[in-house]
Amino acid sequence: MPARPAVGSGGPAAAALDLVLRAPEGPHALGTALPVEVELRNVGDREVWVVGVLDGSEEGVRFPYYRPTITRGGIVVQPRLQKEDPHVGPLRPEDFRRLAPGEGFDPTVPAGGAHYLPLATFASFRPTQPGRYRYGLTLATGSESPQQWLGGFGQRESERERLLDLVGRVPRGTVTARPVEIEFA
């Protein structure tokens, strides 16, 4: 799976982070999901704090936003999933990950007590028409308020101050991965 570094990024997050998509070379069989790997890497010279994909991140209900796209011929073929219930689980200290310079991780794989989730848009898409499909992903951390990171229910008030401090350490901005183009036949 070749790495494809981030492009079209902005803000402090762009200077500190690289978002990479990897997928096996094609062609792939119609009707099968493409196994897409994600890596978020610290490319800066200082440690950074980040958060992986949480309940509501993919749907844009809570920060950080992880926004996947799948297109064919410039047309969206797999719309992003919409969360039916806007309530999301609590943000927890375990959901934060400190990355040293050069360190990376997969923000879709739970580890160390974090409740990270796979990207359902990628996992559920099984193309039925042959062609070249383009998979993309954008990470956005530029919330207007740190409270936009917190959950809709079950948030422990005793952890609130610590969580808001950790949210303040996450670099703000947008990082867009270089798309992966895959042939399905």
Side-chain angles (χ1 to χ4, degrees):
M1 293 187 190
R4 291 167 173 86
V7 295
S9 307
L17 299 172
D18 190 18
L19 187 61
V20 178
L21 294 179
R22 294 183 184 94
E25 297 294 326
H28 293 276
L30 290 174
T32 62
L34 180 69
V36 178
E37 293 178 6
V38 180
E39 181 183 21
L40 185 59
R41 176 169 294 285
N42 179 356
V43 294
D45 57 2
R46 300 169 59 188
E47 74 176 22
V48 295
W49 288 83
V50 293
V51 176
V53 180
L54 300 174
D55 178 28
S57 289
E58 185 172 357
E59 300 89 355
V61 173
R62 66 113 59 88
F63 281 89
Y65 293 166
Y66 282 88
R67 306 306 298 259
T69 59
I70 303 174
T71 60
R72 183 170 149 250
I75 298 170
V76 174
V77 294
Q78 177 73 345
R80 275 186 232 132
L81 304 175
Q82 299 298 314
K83 192 162 183 63
E84 292 178 22
D85 181 356
H87 297 290
V88 293
L91 178 65
R92 301 165 319 112
E94 297 85 15
D95 296 326
F96 288 85
R97 175 92 184 242
R98 184 187 63 78
L99 295 179
E103 185 179 8
F105 81 112
D106 185 337
T108 67
V109 175
H115 288 140
Y116 302 151
L117 300 170
L119 292 166
T121 299
F122 293 162
S124 65
F125 182 63
R126 290 166 171 73
T128 58
Q129 296 181 10
R132 288 195 70 75
Y133 290 80
R134 182 178 203 151
Y135 289 67
L137 181 62
T138 298
L139 164 64
T141 59
S143 62
E144 293 177 16
S145 161
Q147 285 78 10
Q148 292 176 301
W149 293 66
L150 302 178
F153 67 91
Q155 194 68 63
R156 292 184 187 158
E157 194 58 38
S158 62
E159 293 180 332
R160 186 179 193 82
E161 192 171 316
R162 179 175 179 210
L163 290 169
L164 295 178
D165 175 60
L166 288 168
V167 167
R169 297 178 188 196
V170 176
R172 295 301 194 263
T174 302
V175 181
T176 301
R178 184 174 308 281
V180 174
E181 291 194 21
I182 300 294
E183 184 76 30
F184 282 87

